[in-house]
Amino acid sequence: MTMTEHALRPLRERPRSRVRQQGPSPWEAERVRPLTRCQVTDHFPELGALYAANSGTGPWEGSRLSRAFLWRLRLDMRRPGFSLLIAENAATTACAYGFPLSARLFAIREIVVRPRVRQQFPDRDWNLARRLQRRLLTDHGGVTGITVARRSDTRTLGALRSWGWRDVAAAPYGGPLCGPCRILLLDV
């Protein structure tokens, strides 16, 4: 069969191409990197907009939540050992930050990711939220992560548990476990 005959062969007779259509690997889609305290300050408007965009609320409520997030971030930046990671491709797509509480315990204060990350494949190692939290903990020597979530916030609790967080079995320091918040732990 000549090239001309091949080109004229009807489309229905041509073998289908088996090229897989897929985007970049989840490991490569977003680069994770730390920011210094000065860089965090420079990124405040971007981080506030990221928080508002992923809060799942309207513009007015998102603006209020963004201001509250930036206020917490400003306070937490002063803590010794503070660390903030961002994920980015063309723009910042996610962030997570925390600070050490002791030599073995690291508080992860915020994980800001798109709703899609919370809902799709949360148990996979390449999930962006899992990558961020694991990186925070390994960067601080493989410590145990601790976070707090409201009992009434079932969406956040569900996401945290799907990322590997577990409920504390007993209250630390003998405190009550029936308060308005749940304490969760994560081992690397």
Side-chain angles (χ1 to χ4, degrees), residues 18-182:
R18 299 251 175 191
V19 176
R20 289 187 344 165
Q21 298 294 323
Q22 75 179 39
S25 162
W27 287 105
E28 299 169 3
E30 285 144 319
R31 181 178 69 138
V32 174
R33 69 180 178 99
L35 295 182
T36 65
R37 283 185 170 98
C38 290
Q39 289 172 324
V40 172
T41 304
D42 292 343
H43 282 77
F44 268 177
E46 187 178 348
L47 294 171
L50 176 72
Y51 190 86
N54 293 295
S55 65
T57 61
W60 293 102
E61 184 68 11
S63 176
R64 185 186 68 76
L65 291 173
S66 173
R67 285 192 306 276
F69 167 75
L70 291 175
W71 181 77
R72 288 189 307 273
L73 181 57
R74 278 188 186 94
L75 291 177
D76 290 337
M77 281 177 56
R78 298 177 185 159
R79 294 179 182 264
F82 169 85
S83 180
L84 183 136
L85 298 173
I86 62 168
E88 59 189 357
N89 44 34
T92 301
T93 59
C95 73
Y97 79 86
F99 44 86
L101 295 176
S102 68
R104 297 184 344 220
L105 209 55
F106 187 85
I108 296 185
R109 177 82 155 168
E110 301 276 354
I111 302 171
V112 181
V113 293
R114 292 174 289 207
R116 179 175 56 88
V117 173
R118 290 191 291 264
Q119 298 161 357
Q120 294 179 343
F121 308 109
D123 57 337
R124 300 289 177 96
D125 282 343
W126 49 257
N127 177 279
L128 185 56
R130 290 177 77 97
R131 288 174 51 206
L132 288 167
Q133 67 192 21
R134 188 181 321 108
R135 172 86 181 264
L136 277 173
L137 298 178
T138 55
D139 284 357
H140 286 84
V143 296
T144 298
I146 186 167
T147 196
V148 177
R150 288 190 183 97
R151 286 180 185 274
S152 60
D153 191 353
T154 56
R155 192 177 84 178
T156 298
L157 284 168
L160 288 168
R161 288 182 183 128
S162 70
W163 297 333
W165 292 85
R166 60 183 162 76
D167 289 305
V168 172
Y173 310 111
L177 267 178
C178 57
C181 294
R182 284 202 179 268

